[in-house]
Amino acid sequence: MIKLISTASATAEAVTAEATKETTAADAIEDLVASTPEEAISQIGKFFQGLLDSIISAIPTVLIAILVLIVGMIFCKLALRIMSKGLERSKADITVVKFAKQCAKIILYVLLLIVVLSILGIPTTSIITVIGTAGVAIGLALQDSLSNVAGGFLLMITKPFKIGDYIIVNGVEGVVAQISILHTRLTSGTNQAIFIPNGQAVNATVTNNSVNGTRRVDMTFSIAYDDDYEKARQLILDILAANDKVLKDPEPTVRMVEHGASAIIIATRPWTAVEDYWEVYFGTLEAVRRAFIENDISIPFDQLDVHVVKE
């Protein structure tokens, strides 16, 4: 019975205290409205003075946060520089080095932001919750971008190409200049920058012209049916043998490949290093034409005979 009375008494006191607070707040508002202009100005001055005191008291915390931010940015740059030198000394692939630096940069700056916000008094759990919620929302909105991020990691693991390789993918070709988190950048032969999303690069058929170190140069030459085929073939072989950029092993192939409508077609297949491909291609074309002219071997062109029938 005593416990019930004490509980009821405590409840009554709590209700009374709450009512007292509401009454006090209401009275304060009424006092402010009913007060004279001088008293109102005094109360407003006290409010702004309290606000100013709060700002002044927060200045040391803000300065500490700014200092931590500056020192943290310097530390992040130093850490990235040390990591970069360490990867270079380990002779890691340049593609892996650049990709790892990008990932490490994002992680370090996110951690720095969390530290600075916690110094400002924002709870770490709240920050992580906000980041997690934002991550889910961003993930739903940017599904394609996330697939590109996953594609970037797959490119680092499978390594179908690396920086400096000449590749053909999705109908475009060029030298790989950069592999970032979201896309792969190619530099075309006309010095254009081509950006391919990593998700597409992973799922597409990629032709890598550099990975094996050597390439076969495919060319064809035409001679007239009246010309000496063996002579023409030997001229081409001599030209390839005199070119120090043409590999001796495997040997070049020079064979008749087609009886054309108006010419004999000779297939020419020399091998060369990847970096010498175009030099061998253009040089051989020029040298063969010059040799054919000097040795009276004609280079035929399509001809059309027109017969006029008079009625």
Side-chain angles (χ1 to χ4, degrees), residues 162-241:
K162 63 181 185 298
I163 293 177
D165 287 352
Y166 189 90
I167 66 172
I168 303 173
V169 56
N170 285 343
V172 296
E173 57 185 284
V175 178
V176 180
Q178 181 186 28
I179 303 176
S180 64
I181 294 178
L182 294 177
H183 60 259
T184 297
R185 181 167 65 88
L186 306 182
T187 301
S188 67
T190 55
N191 202 31
Q192 295 173 305
I194 303 173
F195 296 88
I196 303 173
N198 288 335
Q200 295 182 16
V202 169
N203 297 318
T205 299
V206 179
T207 302
N208 192 328
N209 293 318
S210 303
V211 67
N212 292 329
T214 59
R215 287 188 65 185
R216 192 183 72 180
V217 185
D218 293 353
M219 296 172 287
T220 57
F221 300 101
S222 302
I223 63 173
Y225 276 95
D226 295 335
D227 290 328
D228 187 346
Y229 163 72
E230 292 298 335
K231 181 180 180 181
R233 179 174 181 271
Q234 190 58 49
L235 285 173
I236 297 173
L237 287 172
D238 292 342
I239 289 170
L240 295 177

Side-chain angles (χ1 to χ4, degrees), residues 304-311:
L304 178 65
D305 293 334
V306 180
H307 300 274
V308 181
V309 179
K310 295 182 179 180
E311 296 182 355

Side-chain angles (χ1 to χ4, degrees), residues 221-225 227 262-265 297-303:
F221 300 101
S222 302
I223 63 173
Y225 276 95
D227 290 328
S262 58
I264 297 293
I265 310 300
I297 295 178
S298 60
I299 301 176
F301 50 88
D302 291 339
Q303 299 180 4

Side-chain angles (χ1 to χ4, degrees), residues 9 14 17 20 34 120 133 158 180 204:
S9 176
T20 302
L120 292 174
T133 305
T158 59
S180 64

